[in-house]
Amino acid sequence: MTEAAAATGGDGRQEPRARLPPEARMPQILAAAIEEFAERGYAGARMAAVARRAGIAKGLIYHYFPSKAELFQASITACARPVFEDAERRLSGFEGSARQLLADLIALAYARLREEKQERALFRLILTEAERVPELAEFYRREILDRALGIARAVLRAGVASGEFRPAAAALPGLAAVIMAPAVAGSVWQMILGEAAPDLAAMQAAHLDLLLAGLGAAP
Amino acid sequence: MTEAAAATGGDGRQEPRARLPPEARMPQILAAAIEEFAERGYAGARMAAVARRAGIAKGLIYHYFPSKAELFQASITACARPVFEDAERRLSGFEGSARQLLADLIALAYARLREEKQERALFRLILTEAERVPELAEFYRREILDRALGIARAVLRAGVASGEFRPAAAALPGLAAVIMAPAVAGSVWQMILGEAAPDLAAMQAAHLDLLLAGLGAAP
Amino acid sequence: MTEAAAATGGDGRQEPRARLPPEARMPQILAAAIEEFAERGYAGARMAAVARRAGIAKGLIYHYFPSKAELFQASITACARPVFEDAERRLSGFEGSARQLLADLIALAYARLREEKQERALFRLILTEAERVPELAEFYRREILDRALGIARAVLRAGVASGEFRPAAAALPGLAAVIMAPAVAGSVWQMILGEAAPDLAAMQAAHLDLLLAGLGAAP
Amino acid sequence: MTEAAAATGGDGRQEPRARLPPEARMPQILAAAIEEFAERGYAGARMAAVARRAGIAKGLIYHYFPSKAELFQASITACARPVFEDAERRLSGFEGSARQLLADLIALAYARLREEKQERALFRLILTEAERVPELAEFYRREILDRALGIARAVLRAGVASGEFRPAAAALPGLAAVIMAPAVAGSVWQMILGEAAPDLAAMQAAHLDLLLAGLGAAP
DNA sequence: CATGAATGAGTTTTCATTCAT
DNA sequence: TATGAATGAAAACTCATTCAT
């Protein structure tokens, strides 16, 4: 008759699900929360929906997180692992040409766009909630944008130093942002349009082509 | 009668209660709604806040829009005026070089990013609510992305035809998306970071520089 | 877009309808109100709907009636005209047999059930709102039930006096109510079931048959 | 977070907050709802009043019923138990005379009128809301009127078969409705007039007397 | 007299949070 | 730990009533 009656199956005595230690339960809740927040935004997310996604009862969330706001913060923190460690490692140990490095990094960026579901969720949260949650904007600036710009600048400097790129590549202050922009735009389009977004593989190819041509030292 | 006498109707202390014709009141409500939705997202927006912004009583909104959902739809529709007419007009009547046209269009794009507050609000709504409201994604695809890509492709073709750009510029399918990406990324950064976003003027300069160099026919 | 915009047709300048004198406007509003109250009950009725039915603007109702409650009272009073004058006149001047009189009165009652739309509306209001509006119950008792019972008793007495009915007909205190009950039940069924109600003509025939047989003096 | 911190959750001064299993809580809410709807009608009923009658918080109703409309439906369904099982059982197993059976059934009907509070409430709801809720009219036709008519017809047939009633009793199509009409009218009067209604005991006596006389075979 | 925009108190409904079990 | 019934504050929405035009 009602959902309530349906859920209890008529005898009304529910039995607790498996009793899990906190180390196991928390990631489960966090994963559910990240999904829910990413899909609905902070205000649109419902604690009951988080619980349902996690397969637990509403009340249990409050054993682990004191409030929706704190659950949100924790969700962000959980997503916000070092995104660029990989790229930075690759950069620091690199031996080959700057052109090759650029190609590698671009390939890496597009690969992440395609594959990392949680990262897309984090990005969506940042877009959606940055205005209301200053920490989100700060996190994005510090952990994502600045590090990405740093990597881009390092590559540009390396290419200019090696003579592969024309000197302007290191001198134009906005260039680092511009060369990483297609990946950002691509991820936004993926987010909004899903299947209908511009083709990422084609963008990747054109992106690399344009950069190599545009950065190239005059022959 | 019992509870019938309950509806009172206030005690008369309020503003002059201006009576406006619907043609004047509706845009006022819509503008307030656009602001509120853009700042808080659909779920976070409050009808009371819309009314406050518009300087009217809550109930009056329902005189014009039957529900929050319909007010939202109407807000979007109201924003969604032809964004690209200007650019398309410029394109069709253009006489000069493709390089010059490219520079013009880029300047136009960045100018809009800087100036049009409502357009930023619309973009924010699209990002935020596209998942919940499929029409938003469709609108973006049709009215914004496709037209922008069309303009970009037209410029590329013109430049290739005139020999200013190398032939690859028209052959790479992802290039149109790539060349407009920095403006998209720039607007996203503005949206998230505000003052702390990468400098738009510097991006504009680097963007144009990279494109002209990257598209340029080999000498 | 909105009903408001639709109603004004875009220019927003509405012109007042014909200016009518109170004598003409009041019945128009009352008729609309009776319909609305009968269909929806007091609480469910809406002033806007009354106005729509009357073809006037909401505000105009308040020129004639100070409140919903008073409009309701006035609606009842307007319905509550002497329902039984006809029957009482017929009774007082009657010359023929009591059996004939009974047949006449029963025919009259069923005819009213079939024909008088406003009377059905009044009856519905009485059923629906009597609990909340004591005046309604009092009105029913005084103007309808008591007069009907009076008529029934008079006929019974006349029939006993003339020897047509057995003496018990005047001695049983509940009989007057019982002999008029089928008409009441019939009107209730009409009200609830409309077309699907038991057939009134068949009831009328059986009703008369049963009464004549049941009241008849033993041979 | 801004307005997120708004939802507080009270300060803890209230009743013991009994926790009941759904099987216990639902009937409690339904009983409260039936009362409220019967007294005020659908439109006039207040969810807050239902909660108050049930001794619970407003919100809890929505745990069990998704909306006022569904609560209303459920209330009706809850009332609508087999009303006539008793009568039909009595009918099928009956051994004595048809006159005795008729007397028994009439006594049973009037007893119910006097005693069953919930049944009166259901009848009031049917009268009040049948127009708005077609299911109510259908329910009345199917579960109440048709079964009552069926019982009446069976008694008439039995009496004619045994020679106790004159043959016309089975031949007049409207007679079944007529013989049960006084009970219906009586319940309407009770509903409208309460204490001031015609005396039920007197009606019962007169009703039986009239029927026995009116149905009786000529000696 | 006539209109319908405007108001705001009151209703339904939602949902974060608490707590008996 | 785990559950979901229970709460209450706030949000959406309704509608009698007022009043500028």
Side-chain angles (χ1 to χ4, degrees), chain B residues 1-5 19-23 26 30 62-66 70 74 77, chain C residues 1-5 8 10-14 42-43 58 69-70 72-73 132-133:
Chain B
M1 261 80 294
T2 51
E3 84 280 47
R19 182 198 182 89
L20 260 55
E23 310 90 80
M26 257 174 62
L30 283 171
Y62 291 89
H63 205 73
Y64 293 92
F65 304 95
E70 299 238 14
T77 309
Chain C
M1 186 142 296
T2 67
E3 329 93 271
T8 55
D11 72 337
R13 292 297 126 235
Q14 70 283 357
Y42 179 79
K58 258 182 311 169
E70 301 243 11
F72 182 68
Q73 291 288 358
R132 293 180 348 92
V133 187

Coordinates of all heavy atoms in Angstrom, one line a residue, chain B residues 1-5 19-23 26 30 62-66 70 74 77, chain C residues 1-5 8 10-14 42-43 58 69-70 72-73 132-133:
Chain B
M1 N -18.8 27.8 8.7 CA -17.8 28.9 8.3 C -16.4 28.6 9.0 O -15.4 28.7 8.5 CB -18.3 30.2 8.8 CG -18.9 31.0 7.7 SD -20.6 30.8 7.1 CE -20.7 29.3 6.3
T2 N -16.6 28.3 10.3 CA -15.4 27.9 11.1 C -14.1 28.6 10.6 O -13.8 29.7 10.7 CB -15.2 26.4 11.2 OG1 -15.3 25.9 9.9 CG2 -16.3 25.8 12.0
E3 N -13.3 27.7 9.9 CA -12.0 28.2 9.5 C -12.0 29.1 8.3 O -11.0 29.6 7.8 CB -11.0 27.0 9.2 CG -11.2 26.4 7.8 CD -12.4 25.5 7.7 OE1 -13.5 25.9 8.2 OE2 -12.2 24.4 7.2
A4 N -13.2 29.4 7.8 CA -13.3 30.2 6.6 C -12.9 31.6 6.9 O -12.3 32.3 6.0 CB -14.8 30.2 6.1
A5 N -13.1 32.1 8.1 CA -12.8 33.5 8.4 C -11.3 33.7 8.6 O -10.8 34.8 8.8 CB -13.5 33.9 9.6
R19 N 0.9 48.4 -9.6 CA 0.2 47.5 -10.5 C 0.8 47.6 -11.9 O 0.7 48.6 -12.5 CB -1.2 47.8 -10.5 CG -2.1 46.8 -11.4 CD -3.4 47.5 -11.7 NE -4.2 46.6 -12.5 CZ -5.1 45.8 -12.0 NH1 -5.2 45.7 -10.7 NH2 -5.9 45.0 -12.7
L20 N 1.5 46.5 -12.3 CA 2.2 46.6 -13.6 C 1.5 45.7 -14.6 O 0.9 44.7 -14.2 CB 3.6 46.1 -13.4 CG 4.7 47.1 -13.4 CD1 4.4 48.1 -12.3 CD2 6.1 46.5 -13.2
P21 N 1.5 46.0 -15.8 CA 0.9 45.1 -16.8 C 1.8 43.9 -17.0 O 3.1 44.0 -16.7 CB 1.0 45.9 -18.1 CG 2.0 47.0 -17.9 CD 2.0 47.3 -16.4
P22 N 1.3 42.8 -17.3 CA 2.1 41.6 -17.4 C 3.3 41.7 -18.3 O 4.4 41.1 -18.0 CB 1.1 40.6 -18.1 CG -0.3 41.1 -17.7 CD -0.2 42.6 -17.6
E23 N 3.3 42.5 -19.3 CA 4.5 42.7 -20.2 C 5.6 43.3 -19.4 O 6.8 43.0 -19.7 CB 4.2 43.6 -21.3 CG 3.0 43.3 -22.1 CD 1.8 44.1 -21.6 OE1 1.6 45.3 -21.8 OE2 1.0 43.4 -20.8
M26 N 6.4 40.3 -16.1 CA 7.0 39.0 -16.4 C 8.5 39.1 -16.6 O 9.3 38.3 -16.0 CB 6.4 38.4 -17.6 CG 5.4 37.3 -17.1 SD 4.4 36.5 -18.3 CE 5.7 35.8 -19.4
L30 N 11.3 37.1 -14.4 CA 12.2 36.2 -15.1 C 13.7 36.6 -14.8 O 14.5 35.7 -14.5 CB 12.0 36.3 -16.6 CG 10.8 35.4 -17.1 CD1 10.5 35.7 -18.5 CD2 11.0 34.0 -16.8
Y62 N 3.1 33.0 -8.9 CA 2.2 31.9 -9.3 C 1.1 32.5 -10.2 O 0.3 31.7 -10.8 CB 1.7 31.2 -8.1 CG 2.8 30.3 -7.5 CD1 3.6 30.9 -6.5 CD2 3.0 29.1 -7.9 CE1 4.6 30.1 -5.9 CE2 4.0 28.3 -7.3 CZ 4.8 28.9 -6.3 OH 5.8 28.1 -5.7
H63 N 1.0 33.8 -10.2 CA 0.0 34.4 -11.1 C 0.6 34.3 -12.5 O -0.2 34.3 -13.5 CB -0.1 35.9 -10.7 CG -1.4 36.5 -11.2 ND1 -2.6 36.2 -10.5 CD2 -1.7 37.3 -12.2 CE1 -3.6 36.8 -11.1 NE2 -3.1 37.5 -12.1
Y64 N 1.9 34.2 -12.6 CA 2.5 34.3 -14.0 C 3.1 32.9 -14.4 O 3.1 32.6 -15.5 CB 3.6 35.3 -14.0 CG 3.1 36.7 -13.9 CD1 2.9 37.3 -12.6 CD2 2.6 37.4 -15.0 CE1 2.4 38.6 -12.5 CE2 2.1 38.7 -14.9 CZ 2.0 39.3 -13.7 OH 1.4 40.5 -13.6
F65 N 3.5 32.1 -13.4 CA 4.1 30.8 -13.7 C 3.5 29.8 -12.7 O 3.5 30.0 -11.5 CB 5.6 30.9 -13.5 CG 6.2 32.0 -14.4 CD1 6.5 33.2 -13.8 CD2 6.5 31.8 -15.7 CE1 7.0 34.2 -14.6 CE2 7.1 32.8 -16.5 CZ 7.3 34.0 -15.9
P66 N 3.0 28.7 -13.3 CA 2.3 27.8 -12.4 C 3.1 27.0 -11.4 O 2.6 26.5 -10.5 CB 1.6 26.8 -13.4 CG 2.4 27.0 -14.7 CD 3.0 28.4 -14.7
E70 N 8.2 25.3 -14.1 CA 7.8 26.1 -15.3 C 8.5 27.4 -15.3 O 8.9 28.0 -16.3 CB 6.3 26.2 -15.4 CG 5.6 24.9 -15.5 CD 4.8 24.9 -16.8 OE1 5.0 25.7 -17.7 OE2 3.9 24.0 -16.9
A74 N 10.9 28.7 -18.2 CA 10.7 30.0 -18.8 C 12.0 30.9 -18.7 O 12.3 31.6 -19.6 CB 9.5 30.7 -18.2
T77 N 14.4 29.8 -21.3 CA 14.0 30.2 -22.7 C 14.2 31.7 -22.8 O 14.6 32.2 -23.9 CB 12.5 29.9 -22.8 OG1 12.2 28.6 -22.5 CG2 12.0 30.2 -24.2
Chain C
M1 N 2.1 31.7 -22.9 CA 3.1 31.3 -22.0 C 2.5 31.0 -20.6 O 2.4 29.9 -20.2 CB 4.2 32.4 -21.9 CG 5.3 32.0 -21.1 SD 6.9 32.6 -21.8 CE 7.0 31.9 -23.3
T2 N 2.0 32.0 -20.0 CA 1.3 31.8 -18.8 C -0.2 32.0 -19.0 O -0.6 32.6 -20.1 CB 1.7 32.8 -17.7 OG1 1.2 34.0 -18.1 CG2 3.2 32.8 -17.5
E3 N -1.0 31.5 -18.1 CA -2.5 31.8 -18.3 C -2.7 33.3 -18.3 O -3.5 33.8 -19.1 CB -3.3 31.2 -17.2 CG -2.9 29.9 -16.6 CD -2.1 30.3 -15.3 OE1 -0.9 30.5 -15.5 OE2 -2.7 30.4 -14.3
A4 N -1.9 33.9 -17.5 CA -2.1 35.4 -17.4 C -1.9 36.1 -18.7 O -2.7 36.8 -19.2 CB -1.2 36.0 -16.3
A5 N -0.8 35.7 -19.4 CA -0.5 36.3 -20.6 C -1.5 35.9 -21.7 O -1.9 36.7 -22.5 CB 0.9 35.9 -21.1
T8 N -4.8 37.9 -21.4 CA -4.8 39.3 -21.9 C -4.5 39.4 -23.3 O -4.6 40.5 -23.9 CB -3.8 40.1 -21.0 OG1 -2.5 39.4 -21.2 CG2 -4.2 40.1 -19.6
G10 N -2.0 39.6 -24.9 CA -0.8 40.2 -25.4 C -0.8 41.7 -25.3 O 0.3 42.4 -25.1
D11 N -1.9 42.4 -25.3 CA -1.9 43.8 -25.2 C -2.2 44.2 -23.8 O -1.9 45.4 -23.4 CB -2.9 44.5 -26.2 CG -4.3 44.3 -25.7 OD1 -4.6 43.3 -25.0 OD2 -5.2 45.1 -26.1
G12 N -2.8 43.3 -23.0 CA -2.9 43.6 -21.6 C -4.0 44.6 -21.2 O -4.2 44.8 -20.0
R13 N -4.6 45.2 -22.1 CA -5.7 46.1 -21.8 C -7.0 45.4 -21.9 O -7.5 45.2 -23.0 CB -5.7 47.3 -22.8 CG -4.5 48.2 -22.7 CD -4.4 48.9 -21.3 NE -3.0 48.6 -20.8 CZ -2.9 48.1 -19.6 NH1 -3.9 47.8 -18.8 NH2 -1.7 47.8 -19.1
Q14 N -7.6 45.2 -20.7 CA -8.9 44.5 -20.7 C -10.0 45.5 -20.7 O -9.9 46.5 -20.1 CB -9.0 43.5 -19.5 CG -9.1 44.3 -18.2 CD -7.8 44.8 -17.7 OE1 -6.8 44.6 -18.3 NE2 -7.8 45.5 -16.6
Y42 N -18.5 23.8 0.4 CA -18.1 25.2 0.8 C -16.5 25.3 0.7 O -16.0 26.2 0.0 CB -18.5 25.5 2.2 CG -18.1 26.9 2.6 CD1 -18.7 28.0 2.2 CD2 -16.9 27.0 3.4 CE1 -18.3 29.3 2.5 CE2 -16.5 28.3 3.8 CZ -17.2 29.4 3.4 OH -16.7 30.6 3.7
A43 N -15.8 24.4 1.3 CA -14.4 24.5 1.4 C -13.7 24.3 0.0 O -12.8 25.0 -0.3 CB -13.8 23.5 2.4
K58 N -13.1 38.3 -10.6 CA -13.2 37.9 -9.2 C -13.6 39.1 -8.4 O -14.5 39.0 -7.5 CB -11.8 37.5 -8.8 CG -11.5 36.1 -8.6 CD -10.1 35.9 -8.1 CE -9.1 36.7 -8.9 NZ -7.7 36.7 -8.3
A69 N -18.1 33.5 2.9 CA -19.1 33.0 3.8 C -20.4 33.6 3.6 O -21.5 32.9 3.6 CB -18.6 33.3 5.3
E70 N -20.4 34.9 3.4 CA -21.7 35.6 3.1 C -22.3 35.2 1.8 O -23.5 35.1 1.6 CB -21.6 37.1 3.3 CG -21.0 37.5 4.6 CD -22.0 38.4 5.4 OE1 -23.2 38.5 4.9 OE2 -21.6 39.0 6.4
F72 N -22.0 32.4 0.5 CA -22.6 31.1 0.7 C -24.0 31.2 1.4 O -24.9 30.6 0.9 CB -21.7 30.3 1.6 CG -22.1 28.9 1.9 CD1 -22.1 27.9 0.9 CD2 -22.5 28.5 3.2 CE1 -22.6 26.6 1.1 CE2 -23.0 27.2 3.4 CZ -23.0 26.3 2.4
Q73 N -24.1 32.0 2.4 CA -25.4 32.2 3.1 C -26.4 32.7 2.1 O -27.5 32.2 2.0 CB -25.2 33.2 4.2 CG -24.4 32.7 5.4 CD -25.2 31.7 6.2 OE1 -26.3 31.3 5.9 NE2 -24.5 31.1 7.3
R132 N -21.4 21.7 9.3 CA -20.6 22.9 9.6 C -21.5 24.2 9.7 O -21.0 25.2 10.3 CB -19.6 23.2 8.4 CG -18.5 22.1 8.4 CD -17.5 22.4 7.3 NE -17.9 23.3 6.3 CZ -17.6 24.6 6.4 NH1 -16.9 25.1 7.4 NH2 -18.1 25.5 5.5
V133 N -22.6 24.2 9.1 CA -23.5 25.3 9.1 C -24.8 25.0 9.7 O -25.7 24.5 9.1 CB -23.7 25.9 7.7 CG1 -24.5 27.2 7.7 CG2 -22.4 26.0 7.0

